[in-house]
Amino acid sequence: GDYFEDRYRVDDWVTTGSLAWKATEHLGPQEKFAAAANLGRTYRLAGQYEQSVTYLGLALSMAPDDRSRSPVLHNLGLAYFRLGKFGKAERLHRIDLDICYRLRDGRGAAQAAVARGDALRGQRRFPEAAEVLELAIGMLQHLDELGFGDPIALMNAHQNLALTYLGGDPRHAARVIWQLCAALALARDHGNDH
């Protein structure tokens, strides 16, 4: 049941976003930026990655500052990842990570690191991917200790690290099992059935 409800909700978001984009003809640059960024993210969530790349690329060209640019880079990297363009995805996530560090945005940096690690794994650059994902897990655990935890992101980081270990060297079975157990414990502790 949830899949179909979510699918209709995403379709509604695309329709609403498209109407909002048309309405920006009469609005200023900040509103156009927001509409393009939101529509690009919505197309990504709807699985329409080419459309997502179009609107997110437009939003990136209109972003007024790094704080606005960061989430656009993140979503654009995720769309390129889904298109199998792992090199472009990794480059965008690396830029996003640099911006997050400059802005002292710990949560953004952790999410950018998880996404970058996944893009590196997509390029079969397993040692680099493992290093970045281990860093991301450390950042996410630190945020959790400070009361700003993101258990879903941490669970995903453990899963991605397990897949990285498995892809890089199957002899790392113990590491794979440990990372998957950590991900499952997070899912259990936070009532997530992913």
Side-chain angles (χ1 to χ4, degrees):
D2 289 342
Y3 170 78
F4 292 106
E5 290 171 15
D6 288 344
R7 184 70 197 145
Y8 290 125
R9 194 172 313 140
V10 169
D11 289 344
D12 289 344
W13 292 341
V14 169
T15 301
T16 302
S18 297
L19 293 172
W21 178 250
K22 289 178 185 172
T24 64
E25 294 172 9
H26 309 289
L27 300 175
Q30 185 62 30
E31 291 82 7
K32 284 186 177 187
F33 161 75
N38 287 331
L39 191 53
R41 180 177 181 271
T42 300
Y43 275 122
R44 182 183 64 77
L45 293 172
Q48 298 176 29
Y49 304 114
E50 294 289 347
Q51 285 288 88
S52 175
V53 165
T54 298
Y55 281 98
L56 290 169
L58 184 60
L60 190 58
S61 72
M62 295 187 287
D65 55 35
D66 280 348
R67 190 160 304 281
S68 301
R69 195 171 291 110
S70 176
V72 174
L73 286 164
H74 186 74
N75 280 292
L76 188 55
L78 294 174
Y80 275 123
F81 181 87
R82 290 297 188 171
L83 289 169
K85 297 179 180 181
F86 304 120
K88 283 186 178 184
E90 189 271 329
R91 185 180 61 79
L92 292 167
H93 291 306
R94 184 173 7 98
I95 295 167
D96 181 28
L97 184 58
D98 291 342
I99 289 172
C100 290
Y101 281 144
R102 269 197 318 275
L103 295 174
R104 298 184 188 277
D105 176 5
R107 183 182 291 253
Q111 291 174 344
V114 172
R116 182 173 179 236
D118 212 21
L120 287 164
R121 181 174 53 86
Q123 296 177 76
R124 305 189 60 75
R125 293 166 56 188
F126 299 114
E128 285 176 84
E131 184 178 318
V132 171
L133 289 165
E134 288 168 357
L135 174 68
I137 288 170
M139 287 190 285
L140 289 163
Q141 288 171 334
H142 180 69
L143 286 169
D144 190 51
E145 291 166 5
L146 296 174
F148 300 107
D150 185 346
I152 303 295
L154 184 55
M155 180 184 70
N156 288 335
H158 280 293
Q159 289 172 338
N160 291 351
L161 185 54
L163 292 171
T164 299
Y165 285 147
L166 190 60
D169 187 347
R171 293 175 294 178
H172 291 299
R175 287 182 178 177
V176 171
I177 292 168
W178 190 92
Q179 293 300 327
L180 290 175
C181 287
L184 289 171
L186 283 162
R188 178 200 64 220
D189 294 346
H190 295 282
N192 188 325
D193 57 1
H194 288 87

